[in-house]
Every structure is written in C-alpha cells, then in structure tokens.
Amino acid sequence: MAPAGPTATNAGAPAETTRPAASSDRAERTTQAADFFEGGRYVEAALEFEALRRDHPDEPSLLFNAAASRDAAGHFAHAVAYVREYLARTDIGPDDRKQGEEQLEEAVRKVTPVTVTVTLPLEGPQTVSVVARHVSKSPADLRPELSFPLTNPRQPLKLELDPGAWVVRVEGSGYQSAEQQIAVGSAPLAISLRPELAPVVRPEAPQARMVPPKVVKDAARGLYISGGAVAAVGLGLIGGGVGMIHGQRVKTCDDPTLADCRRRFANAFVVRNVGATLLGAGAGLAASALVWRANDARQRMIAWSALAAVGGVGFILGEVLAVRGPIPFSRDNTNPEATLAGWSEHWREHRHSALPALGATVRGLGVGLLAGAVTGLIVQRKHLGPGGARAIRVDPSTGPGHTGIVLSGKF
C-alpha cells in the first residue's frame, strides 16, 4: 500500500489531491515524501510524512501515508498506532475508512501484544503516559517514540509492538520516570511498572531585603533629635505664653480703653498655642522614630502606615478643636464693642482656655506622626526599592460635609 503523490492518488491510499495544497512548500514536501516511498526509501518517506502531519494536523491523508510508509519499512507498531489514530477521526470518508481498516487488519497480525500494568501511589496524580521506544540496531532505523495515555491506572494498558528490543517507561507530571527494557518476540508479554513520586523541590525563600544598619541608626537618631528640638522650642513658647498670661501687664492691666489689654491677652494665647503645637509635633516625630527599632521592613511599613493614618486623624481633630475652642474667648476679648463687667473678671474667666491648647497639641501630634511616618516610608523605599513601601499614599479627601485623608497601598 503506497502513499499518495502530490498530484495523483496511488491505489490503496486516501486521495491527497482531493483538497488543494495549503502551500507550495507543502506540495514540494509531499512530492519529496512520495518520491522517497516510490524509491523504496520508506524510513525517509515516513519521517517526512510525520513532519507534514505535525505541521498540518487537519489533513488525515498525511497520517495514513505515514502509517503506510512505516508498514512498508517493517515498523508495524508505528503503523498500527497511526492507523488506529486515523480511524478514530471523524473527518474521513467511508472508502478511506474501509481502506484504513484493511490496513489495520494486515498490520496487527505482525505485532505482539504487551500488557503494561502501572501501579501509581495513591497520593500522586493518577494520569500518566506509557511511552514505548524501539532500540535500533542501525543508525538508519529511525523510529519516533510511541506515547499512550493511561487515564485509568486500575486497568492494564495493552501495547502492540513488533518483534525486537524496546524500552517501555512511565512518565507524568510529579513522577520520576520508571522504565524497563524488554525483548518482544512472537509470544505475548506482561510487565509491571511502579513510578515513584518526584521529590518536591521547594524554592529557596528569597532573602529579605534590609535597610543598612547605619541608615536605620541615622534615621532614628535624626527623628529623635529633631523631635526633641521641636518639643524643647514648644515648651519654651508654652512657658513664655503662660508667663505672659499671668504677667502683671496682662493680669492687672490698667489701660482705660482695654484695647492694649485685649491685644496682649490674645498674643499670649497665640504664643502658648504655637508652643503646644510644636510640643505635640516633637512628640509625634519621636514616636515615629520608635518604629525603626523593628527589624522587619514589612512590620515597619505597616507601623508607619498606621501612624500616618493616626496622624492624619489627629491633625483634623486638632484643627477642629483649635478652631472651635477660642470662640468664647474671641467673642469676649477681640470684639471692641463687647462690654466687660471688669478686666479682672474677664482675665479669671479666660486665663486657662484649655480647649485651644489641647487642640493645638493634638494638631501638632498629628503633624509630627504624619511627618515622621512619611519620612520613614520614603527612606525605606529609597533603600529597598518599591517593595519596601509598596505604593503607600496619603491623600486628602474632601467633599460635601466631610474632610479627611485616604491612606492607600498594599499591606
């Protein structure tokens, strides 16, 4: 039985020219394969038809011609495997199917059944393949491996091999290949293969990137020093403001118009509140420096992110308190038209004004925490790359009836 040529169909082969050639290259290769077959060079013809079949899997005649070439070369196991695959297709006509069945009936008489029992570990994958490789005695005897899927390991797999030496192996994902060499004769054979699970190679955990110790030390020291300096200035201003409030020039002011008294009283509170803001900011910077004590970069990132959120909330809350707290004092002290029962009474009523000081302190604390946290994130990101502080963003959020911040990123 001969394969079809590029322009005509030989007797006993499916028609190659019933469909137009896909390309001139395919036509040339088909002609070459047919010439090999006609010249008795069956192995070369089979190799060319197999290559054409891989390039054009939708053309069934190429598969049949490869089977015919293998059969002519005496490679009956390949001929049987190819014809069975050919007959399993649904795109061949009745005449071609009949011809294929005749080819299979003739080739199957020349092969020997080999029963392969595969035992797979229960904890492993249950789908593998059985591969049969012919052991050639001559370099010119080129045969590709035959692969048979084993979808049900509980049932033995029947191979059809022609006489000679073969290596049968089991391979599959998650398994070490198990193989056995056999000598196939005329009598049926039965073999058993038991593949073992492949050892699981766990990738080494990537070494955690670290900020250089000197950078950690210098950054923490810088925040401590700057926080302490800002807090010291704040304490000084608080002391100065409190001294001005309780000083004789304000406490026993004797200006008949009270304008100078009002101005000095208000300036004293401004100085005190600015000092409270700086004191809170210094405390916030020092608190953010404590995060540098953590050894893990991710833990530091999370801690600074949390401090940034707390700082933003503190800043907003402090602003609210600082704006609303001085309202009674401003109403009585800054309005020139407001009447006072007496300066002493006015001074005693407003000399503490603790709410504005609290608001200023909370506002400063929020600013310090936010500044220290953002500084830490920036420094760490600079030395670790984007993974050190992954897309951490602090954005303002405003809208009808609300003002706030949005902290976004990957934690």
Side-chain angles (χ1 to χ4, degrees):
M1 186 172 295
T7 57
T9 303
N10 294 310
E16 172 69 21
T17 55
T18 55
R19 302 181 184 179
S23 64
S24 59
D25 176 67
R26 174 185 165 186
E28 292 175 2
R29 293 169 62 188
T30 304
T31 300
Q32 183 67 55
D35 290 342
F36 285 149
F37 188 91
E38 295 296 339
R41 299 160 64 179
Y42 304 120
V43 174
E44 294 174 75
L47 292 173
E48 188 62 47
F49 276 122
E50 287 164 351
L52 281 166
R53 169 205 171 193
R54 289 192 296 270
D55 296 339
H56 305 280
D58 295 333
E59 180 52 63
S61 64
L62 297 174
L63 178 58
F64 183 84
N65 290 346
S69 301
R70 287 294 177 185
D71 184 86
H75 303 165
F76 305 115
H78 291 74
V80 170
Y82 291 168
V83 175
R84 289 195 185 279
E85 183 180 349
Y86 174 75
L87 294 175
R89 300 178 66 108
T90 59
D91 55 350
I92 57 176
D95 293 339
D96 293 339
R97 183 172 297 278
K98 181 180 179 181
Q99 190 175 6
E101 291 172 350
E102 294 173 353
Q103 173 77 3
L104 177 63
E105 183 179 358
E106 178 183 347
V108 80
R109 299 193 191 101
K110 305 170 186 177
V111 296
T112 300
V114 177
T115 303
V116 181
T117 301
V118 179
T119 304
L120 299 177
L122 295 178
E123 64 274 17
Q126 298 300 299
T127 301
V128 294
S129 295
V130 176
V131 180
R133 176 175 60 84
H134 182 262
V135 181
S136 302
K137 296 181 180 180
S138 169
D141 187 11
L142 301 177
R143 310 187 197 186
E145 294 182 335
L146 295 174
S147 180
F148 306 90
L150 179 67
T151 56
N152 187 358
R154 295 181 179 84
Q155 295 181 356
L157 182 66
K158 180 182 177 182
L159 308 184
E160 296 168 303
L161 306 178
D162 41 86
W166 291 80
V167 173
V168 180
R169 73 174 184 271
V170 177
E171 61 183 22
S173 177
Y175 287 102
Q176 292 178 321
S177 297
E179 65 179 33
Q180 180 178 342
Q181 182 167 339
I182 59 176
V184 179
S186 58
L189 290 177
I191 63 173
S192 297
L193 294 174
R194 186 187 296 269
E196 295 182 358
L197 290 172
V200 178
V201 180
R202 301 186 183 277
E204 295 183 1
Q207 295 183 350
R209 294 175 295 175
M210 297 180 61
V211 180
K214 186 177 185 305
V215 174
V216 173
K217 184 178 179 180
D218 292 344
R221 179 186 299 172
L223 288 175
Y224 282 132
I225 293 175
S226 58
V230 171
V233 173
L235 285 173
L237 291 177
I238 291 174
V242 171
M244 292 170 61
I245 293 171
H246 293 274
Q248 293 299 319
R249 297 186 64 183
V250 174
K251 181 179 179 180
T252 60
C253 182
D254 56 359
D255 181 12
T257 64
L258 298 181
D260 189 52
C261 301
R262 295 173 190 263
R263 179 179 55 80
R264 291 176 183 174
F265 203 19
N267 290 341
F269 281 115
V270 169
V271 173
R272 187 200 66 175
N273 293 343
V274 169
T277 299
L278 294 178
L279 176 63
L285 289 173
S288 65
L290 294 173
V291 179
W292 282 109
R293 293 178 176 271
N295 294 325
D296 184 69
R298 181 171 178 79
Q299 291 178 354
R300 290 198 297 261
M301 181 189 71
I302 295 174
W304 279 322
S305 301
L307 287 182
V310 173
V313 173
F315 173 75
I316 295 172
L317 179 60
E319 278 292 315
V320 173
L321 295 176
V323 170
R324 297 186 62 85
I327 291 177
F329 171 79
S330 298
R331 183 177 59 245
D332 295 342
N333 192 73
T334 61
N335 186 1
E337 300 179 358
T339 59
L340 298 177
W343 179 255
S344 297
E345 290 77 6
H346 174 67
W347 178 83
R348 281 193 297 269
E349 181 181 355
H350 296 291
R351 60 180 175 172
H352 297 300
S353 295
L355 189 59
L358 176 62
T361 304
V362 173
R363 175 179 58 192
L365 180 63
V367 171
L369 289 175
L370 189 58
V374 171
T375 301
L377 288 172
I378 291 174
V379 171
Q380 181 162 277
R381 183 185 181 93
K382 177 181 178 181
H383 288 275
L384 298 186
R390 297 189 179 184
I392 298 298
R393 296 183 56 184
V394 181
D395 300 308
S397 174
T398 59
H402 80 275
T403 301
I405 63 169
V406 176
L407 182 69
S408 60
K410 185 174 182 180
F411 303 93

